């Protein structure tokens, strides 16, 4: 598959990395989602202008996230995902909370975990429940709108191992896609807690067919293929349900670069270095 840059956020659009130095519009983006044909949502938690924002392809800001206040304290999010045209699902890792807020900055739903939980990734299922990846207890939990825990996945020792999971995706078939960076593996589990698909040899990194090295992001697209950011192999790969591999983008790597795969709702992909 040939890859061409069809659109790029240019530098000098007014955002700054620090008080001293002007730079590009982006600081350390971790999530990108398309909004229709002309705009994108960007989660860039370390940015001074806003932790997330929407820009059009001319580089103009359509929306900038207002400060989110919780119990009279400004909340700094680790991860923000746009889940509807007006609401966002976020992780307040320091406060051990999952928060949903709207474009006006109003909190419309939240869930508080105890000190034994460290949420690092979350997604909304088709039935409106929220899946949360807990890196401290190495588990995935599902919480309904009434804040009841309705399902939990804890790996079975020596079978479905988790080492350093970093991202989950709620799939349309009600299964869950999991990326485990230290396990060098991306896999899909069913609701009966069985691994039904996997790419990457658990615990054995590499760049040959069937292997990954520190994957950081993955997305199951509308064609049922899985797009993976194979970070230490400096590439984005596409894998079908039968494990057939296609390298769709390779990066010329320098020490100062960190390339992630960002997910577009229309099934396409983009990278930002």
């Amino acid at each position: 598959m040939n890859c061409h840059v069809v659109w790029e956020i240019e530098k000098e659009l007014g955002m700054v990395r620090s008080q001293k130095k002007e730079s590009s519009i982006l600081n350390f983006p971790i999530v990108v989602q398309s909004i229709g044909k002309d705009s994108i949502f960007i989660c860039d938690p370390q940015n001074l202008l806003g932790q997330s924002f929407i820009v059009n392809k001319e580089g103009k800001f359509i929306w900038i996230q207002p400060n989110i206040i919780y119990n009279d304290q400004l909340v700094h999010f680790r991860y923000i995902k746009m889940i509807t045209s007006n609401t966002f699902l976020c992780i307040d890792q320091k406060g051990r909370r999952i928060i949903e807020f709207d474009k006006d900055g109003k909190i419309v739903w939240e869930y508080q975990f105890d000190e034994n939980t460290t949420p690092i990734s979350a997604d909304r299922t088709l039935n409106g429940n929220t899946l949360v990846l807990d890196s401290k207890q190495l588990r995935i939990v599902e919480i309904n709108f009434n804040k009841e825990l309705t399902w939990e996945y804890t790996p079975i020792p020596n079978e479905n191992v988790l080492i350093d999971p970093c991202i989950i995706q709620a799939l349309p078939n009600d299964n869950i896609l999991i990326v485990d960076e230290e396990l060098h593996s991306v896999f899909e589990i069913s609701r009966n807690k069985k691994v039904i698909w996997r790419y990457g040899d658990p615990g054995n990194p590499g760049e040959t067919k069937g292997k990954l090295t520190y994957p950081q992001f993955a997305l199951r697209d509308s064609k049922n293929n899985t797009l993976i950011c194979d970070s230490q192999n400096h590439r984005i790969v596409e894998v079908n349900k039968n494990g057939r591999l296609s390298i769709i983008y390779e990066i010329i790597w320098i020490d100062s670069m960190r390339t992630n795969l960002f997910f577009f709702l229309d099934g396409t992909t983009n990278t930002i270095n």
Side-chain angles (χ1 to χ4, degrees):
M1 180 185 298
N2 294 324
C3 254
H4 303 282
V5 175
V6 296
W7 178 70
E8 180 179 1
I9 295 178
E10 298 289 347
K11 293 184 177 181
E12 306 305 336
L13 291 183
M15 190 172 296
V16 294
R17 292 177 190 262
S18 68
Q19 298 286 355
K20 299 179 180 179
K21 179 182 178 182
E22 289 189 357
S23 186
S24 99
I25 189 175
L26 302 173
N27 184 359
F28 197 77
I30 59 172
V31 174
V32 170
Q33 297 171 266
S34 67
I35 305 170
K37 296 180 180 180
D38 299 318
S39 300
I40 62 171
F41 166 79
I42 300 174
C43 168
D44 192 4
Q46 299 179 24
N47 224 301
L48 294 179
L49 182 60
Q51 295 180 73
S52 65
F53 42 89
I54 296 172
V55 298
N56 64 19
K57 291 187 177 181
E58 286 72 47
K60 295 181 180 179
F61 291 99
I62 306 300
W63 172 84
I64 298 175
Q65 177 195 313
N67 288 335
I68 309 301
I69 306 299
Y70 187 95
N71 290 339
D72 298 323
Q73 297 290 323
L74 177 65
V75 181
H76 294 278
F77 295 111
R78 178 186 188 274
Y79 175 92
I80 307 168
K81 181 175 184 178
M82 193 171 188
I83 55 173
T84 73
S85 61
N86 189 52
T87 57
F88 308 84
L89 191 64
C90 319
I91 293 175
D92 172 16
Q93 192 173 46
K94 184 177 180 180
R96 300 185 300 277
R97 289 186 293 259
I98 304 298
I99 293 176
E100 181 182 353
F101 67 86
D102 63 20
K103 283 185 175 179
D104 295 325
K106 179 183 176 181
I107 295 176
V108 297
W109 184 83
E110 54 86 20
Y111 186 85
Q112 178 70 60
F113 289 98
D114 62 25
E115 64 278 4
N116 295 316
T117 299
T118 302
I120 61 169
S121 179
D123 203 2
R124 183 62 51 83
T125 66
L126 291 178
N127 66 4
N129 292 347
T130 301
L131 290 170
V132 181
L133 173 59
D134 171 16
S135 65
K136 189 170 185 178
Q137 298 189 58
L138 294 178
R139 61 173 184 160
I140 299 169
V141 296
E142 182 177 25
I143 302 157
N144 66 18
F145 187 78
N146 296 321
K147 304 182 182 181
E148 300 166 327
L149 194 151
T150 60
W151 182 83
E152 181 175 354
Y153 169 72
T154 302
I156 301 171
N158 302 319
E159 184 177 341
N160 302 336
V161 179
L162 289 177
I163 298 177
D164 187 20
C166 53
I167 291 289
I168 57 174
Q169 180 192 358
L171 300 177
N173 62 3
D174 205 34
N175 292 344
I176 302 165
L177 191 69
I178 305 171
V179 179
D180 193 311
E181 189 173 0
E182 290 287 342
L183 198 60
H184 311 289
S185 180
V186 176
F187 55 101
E188 177 184 351
I189 62 168
S190 65
R191 287 307 182 122
N192 62 5
K193 306 179 183 181
K194 298 294 183 181
V195 175
I196 64 172
W197 180 89
R198 182 189 294 274
Y199 193 83
D201 186 5
N204 296 298
E207 61 181 13
T208 57
K209 181 180 178 180
K211 291 192 174 186
L212 302 167
T213 304
Y214 296 104
Q216 292 182 336
F217 292 86
L219 170 72
R220 178 70 50 78
D221 68 15
S222 59
K223 297 179 182 179
N224 214 26
N225 296 323
T226 303
L227 297 157
I228 303 170
C229 176
D230 187 11
S231 68
Q232 292 302 304
N233 288 324
H234 320 316
R235 61 186 183 178
I236 294 170
V237 299
E238 180 183 68
V239 184
N240 67 16
K241 291 291 285 186
N242 297 319
R244 182 179 178 182
L245 171 69
S246 298
I247 299 174
I248 65 171
Y249 190 63
E250 291 188 286
I251 301 108
I252 298 174
W253 193 265
I254 60 176
D255 289 342
S256 61
M257 289 172 58
R258 178 183 185 270
T259 299
N260 291 339
L261 171 63
F262 298 106
F263 307 144
F264 281 66
L265 299 180
D266 61 7
T268 62
T269 63
N270 191 27
T271 60
I272 299 176
N273 296 324

